[in-house]
Amino acid sequence: MDSRRLPPKSSRTTSSNDGGPLHHNQKRLAPSVDNRSPSPTPKASDALPLPLYLTNAIFFTLFFSVAYYLLHRWREKIRDSTPLHVVTFPEIAAIVSLMASFIYLLGFFGIDFVQSFITRPSHDAWDLEDTDNPNYLINEDHRLVTCPPPANLPPISILPNPEPIITPLASVEDEEIVKSVTEGALPSYSLESKLGDCKRAAVIRREALQRTTGKSLEGLPIQGFDYDSILGQCCEMPVGYIQIPVGIAGPLLLNGMEYMVPMATTEGCLVASTNRGCKAMYASGGATSVVLADGMTRAPVVRFETAKRASELKLFLEDPDNFDTLSIVFNRSSRFGRLQGIKCSMAGKNLYLRFKCSTGDAMGMNMVSKGVQNVLDFLQNDFHDMEVIGISGNFCSDKKPAAVNWIEGRGKSVVCEAIIREEIVKKVLKTSVASLVELNMLKNLAGSAVAGALGGFNAHASNIVSAIFIATGQDPAQNIESSHCITMMEAVNNGKDLHISVTMPSIEVGTVGGGTQLASQSACLNLLGVKGASKESPGSNSRLLATIVAGSVLAGELSLMAAIAQGQLVKSHMKYNRSSKDISKAAS
């Protein structure tokens, strides 16, 4: 719509002289209500002896003629080396004429411009927001007219403010507490300590949240959860819990043992695909997995006044003669934390110290952090000028893709392999060995290299890692480095069978601490036979869990690659990842 300045409200109307509406083809606005035309406002140009257009023409012609004459004269003086301040009488007359015409033009336009603002009514509008009737259009001669609202549209009604969502609580006391939380008198985070009842605190917090936001949390379950189990370690200020379905893939035949693998996911086809991979591996004799290394890392950053001084600490920490002393200091922090090594990297006068230690059956982040703090306190006895900038300097590297984890490893470094017989490839996976080998080379190796992948030389390792992590109470954010994986495929036994392997240098898992102690996650760990800490061999349960993760990734890689090679990826997702259920009927 063309935007034009509207006339003042006093002269605007929404009807014609006979009371009818104005239409888009009308050529003028309706007169004001009192049918009196306003008296014209006097202008400065009314005092001119000649008509305005003639006066303007004369002074414009004079201005540009004199300006051209003076510029021409000054050019001649410059060519003849005549001083510009030496002027003749015609030049003086020309300068006077130029100034007179300039003063006229400036005065005329300036006065009329200022006067237009002084005499313009204060109710003049630049948009449609101040109009009495919002039904305005710009017609073909650019004038503002009104139009009636379409008859087929219902009148617009203003919705009232939504009623606050109020759920009756168990007692009057709870109502008073909710009121205190909504008014800000009682902090929501302090409900557990104030009430001494975690479930009651969650119910009150939930109701206060609904009343404050006006949004319902219906559908987010709150009953049937042990809120005491998460206090102080898993989740703060709970208002309910999320339901994620858990599927079972297997049996996974790994190192001669069978495992039924729990996978928590909302992605259709994932469990079914992993299950097919397990079937192919089982029919071929199973898989073999080996833990190559086991050590969690933490890397503080410290700073010195000079790079030379930072290098002295680097040499001290990496000297084998000092390792025993540092180990004793580090190992005081835990029964299971044992220092394995320290690697340092410098950036100017800043030094990054990467500590690596075993952590038993715990994932071990807190354990290694306590040991690092002990060592830093010890070092400051000899390095008084060392400034500790942070307990973590990202050289660890935790919950971020990093080459140091891909190369050096973090957590459990695992390799898992299997040989799939040719008849199984054809019968179960519906493809051929040659097709899988070629696809793996072009997709997982070359394709990932073209993409500049960092540890991502696989088809979908993170899919399986995330599903098992959620089901077994691991930290889902550590899926980032734990999913580092390179998948290799090769034709063996004269090209008949398929050798497939996955190498995963940074699987970060534990069977104690964190979310592993929650009832649902503990049940999944129990299903795998790795619940809690191993009393006979500390750390063996977490290492076994890491091998199960790698074996499940191997099954998932095998099945997905076969689906892509056979061209069945889209078809299978359309079958298992799309619901035909009538959601509207289900909701009602």
Side-chain angles (χ1 to χ4, degrees):
M1 180 184 289
D2 191 4
S3 62
R4 301 283 175 173
R5 185 185 302 180
L6 306 186
K9 284 186 178 181
S10 59
S11 63
R12 280 187 251 144
T13 181
T14 61
S15 62
S16 60
N17 292 340
D18 58 359
L22 290 173
H23 298 288
H24 68 279
N25 58 353
Q26 288 182 278
K27 300 299 183 180
R28 60 183 178 81
L29 286 173
S32 59
V33 175
D34 57 4
N35 294 326
R36 291 178 298 173
S37 301
S39 57
T41 303
K43 298 181 179 180
S45 57
D46 295 340
L48 296 176
L50 296 176
L52 180 61
Y53 70 94
L54 290 178
T55 306
N56 288 341
I58 292 173
F59 276 94
F60 268 111
T61 303
L62 177 64
F63 179 84
F64 287 107
S65 299
V66 173
Y68 176 79
Y69 169 76
L70 290 176
L71 292 174
H72 181 73
R73 287 290 302 152
W74 289 338
R75 185 179 65 177
E76 291 181 349
K77 287 184 178 182
I78 292 173
R79 289 177 177 177
D80 298 340
S81 299
T82 303
L84 295 179
H85 65 273
V86 177
V87 294
T88 61
F89 181 76
E91 293 174 347
I92 295 176
I95 293 174
V96 173
S97 300
L98 181 68
M99 294 177 62
S101 57
F102 178 76
I103 291 173
Y104 163 77
L105 295 175
L106 179 64
F108 170 72
F109 287 109
I111 292 174
D112 273 4
F113 181 73
V114 173
Q115 190 177 21
S116 67
F117 274 85
I118 296 176
T119 59
R120 184 166 62 91
S122 61
H123 297 292
D124 198 1
W126 292 87
D127 50 36
L128 300 179
E129 293 180 358
D130 293 334
T131 58
D132 296 329
N133 191 329
N135 300 312
Y136 281 97
L137 290 177
I138 302 296
N139 66 2
E140 62 271 15
D141 65 348
H142 305 288
R143 297 193 182 188
L144 186 69
V145 297
T146 59
C147 62
N152 58 345
L153 292 181
I156 299 175
S157 60
I158 300 176
L159 295 177
N161 292 329
E163 293 293 331
I165 298 173
I166 299 178
T167 304
L169 297 179
S171 65
V172 177
E173 182 184 1
D174 288 354
E175 288 287 349
E176 292 297 327
I177 298 175
V178 170
K179 184 178 179 181
S180 298
V181 174
T182 56
E183 292 176 352
L186 178 63
S188 177
Y189 61 80
S190 66
L191 287 174
E192 281 79 5
S193 60
K194 295 288 185 183
L195 302 177
D197 186 338
C198 293
K199 181 180 178 181
R200 183 184 174 198
V203 172
I204 292 175
R205 180 182 295 111
R206 177 192 181 102
E207 181 59 24
L209 178 64
Q210 290 186 136
R211 297 184 187 184
T212 301
T213 62
K215 302 294 193 307
S216 173
L217 289 177
E218 183 180 1
L220 179 68
I222 190 169
Q223 301 296 334
F225 188 82
D226 183 9
Y227 293 95
D228 291 329
S229 64
I230 66 173
L231 180 63
Q233 54 188 351
C234 287
C235 179
E236 297 75 41
M237 298 192 290
V239 294
Y241 59 95
I242 292 294
Q243 296 170 312
I244 300 179
V246 177
I248 295 296
L252 171 67
L253 184 56
L254 181 66
N255 295 333
M257 300 292 292
E258 295 182 6
Y259 302 95
M260 302 301 293
V261 183
M263 301 176 65
T265 181
T266 56
E267 180 184 353
C269 208
L270 177 60
V271 177
S273 177
T274 307
N275 189 67
R276 184 175 73 148
C278 291
K279 179 181 179 181
M281 291 164 54
Y282 194 100
S284 298
T288 303
S289 185
V290 178
V291 177
L292 304 174
D294 180 9
M296 182 51 63
T297 62
R298 174 60 86 194
V301 53
V302 299
R303 180 170 61 191
F304 290 87
E305 293 183 357
T306 63
K308 180 178 182 298
R309 185 62 172 157
S311 65
E312 293 176 0
L313 177 58
K314 181 179 187 298
L315 296 175
F316 175 84
L317 292 174
E318 294 180 346
D319 188 345
D321 294 336
N322 299 323
F323 181 78
D324 290 340
T325 302
L326 296 174
S327 296
I328 294 174
V329 175
F330 183 97
N331 297 343
R332 291 173 184 169
S333 62
S334 171
R335 291 184 300 156
F336 302 104
R338 294 294 178 264
L339 184 64
Q340 297 176 352
I342 305 174
K343 290 190 176 182
C344 302
S345 181
M346 287 184 58
K349 58 182 183 178
N350 305 304
L351 186 62
Y352 297 83
L353 325 173
R354 193 172 193 258
F355 291 78
K356 185 175 183 179
C357 78
S358 60
T359 57
D361 283 308
M363 185 269 291
M365 285 298 302
N366 293 332
M367 191 182 302
V368 67
S369 296
K370 289 190 294 182
V372 167
Q373 188 62 58
N374 289 345
V375 174
L376 292 177
D377 294 340
F378 172 79
L379 291 175
Q380 286 192 315
N381 294 326
D382 294 325
F383 295 86
H384 304 285
D385 52 342
M386 180 182 73
E387 180 184 1
V388 179
I389 303 300
I391 191 66
S392 175
N394 276 8
F395 187 42
C396 313
S397 174
D398 186 43
K399 302 175 183 177
K400 292 166 285 291
V404 66
N405 292 337
W406 177 239
I407 298 172
E408 297 288 342
R410 189 172 194 254
K412 278 71 174 173
S413 300
V414 183
V415 60
C416 186
E417 64 179 345
I419 296 179
I420 312 300
R421 298 199 306 270
E422 181 182 25
E423 58 269 23
I424 301 301
V425 172
K426 293 180 178 179
K427 182 178 179 180
V428 178
L429 301 178
K430 311 298 183 182
T431 185
S432 65
V433 173
S435 298
L436 286 173
V437 172
E438 181 182 32
L439 177 63
N440 186 72
M441 179 185 67
L442 296 179
K443 171 182 168 63
N444 290 340
L445 303 182
S448 296
V450 169
L454 178 60
F457 297 89
N458 57 81
H460 70 149
S462 63
N463 243 344
I464 292 86
V465 171
S466 296
I468 299 178
F469 270 31
I470 296 173
T472 59
Q474 310 304 314
D475 189 340
Q478 290 183 325
N479 162 70
I480 296 175
E481 60 266 41
S482 297
S483 296
H484 282 343
C485 172
I486 181 168
T487 301
M488 303 293 292
M489 293 187 185
E490 180 183 352
V492 294
N493 300 330
N494 297 322
K496 293 182 178 181
D497 301 331
L498 174 72
H499 180 275
I500 178 174
S501 67
V502 292
T503 305
M504 307 177 69
S506 306
I507 302 179
E508 300 169 356
V509 293
T511 58
V512 296
T516 64
Q517 65 181 10
L518 301 181
S520 301
Q521 290 82 343
S522 179
C524 292
L525 290 171
N526 187 59
L527 177 65
L528 294 171
V530 294
K531 177 183 175 181
S534 173
K535 297 180 180 179
E536 295 79 13
S537 177
S540 62
N541 279 354
S542 62
R543 287 191 290 270
L544 177 56
L545 178 58
T547 62
I548 293 174
V549 171
S552 302
V553 169
L554 183 67
E557 291 286 282
L558 181 62
S559 182
L560 177 59
M561 292 294 287
I564 296 176
Q566 187 63 16
Q568 296 296 315
L569 178 64
V570 175
K571 182 179 179 180
S572 61
H573 276 76
M574 291 301 101
K575 179 179 179 181
Y576 293 102
N577 204 22
R578 291 294 183 271
S579 175
S580 58
K581 185 178 180 180
D582 191 338
I583 301 299
S584 61
K585 293 181 179 179
S588 62

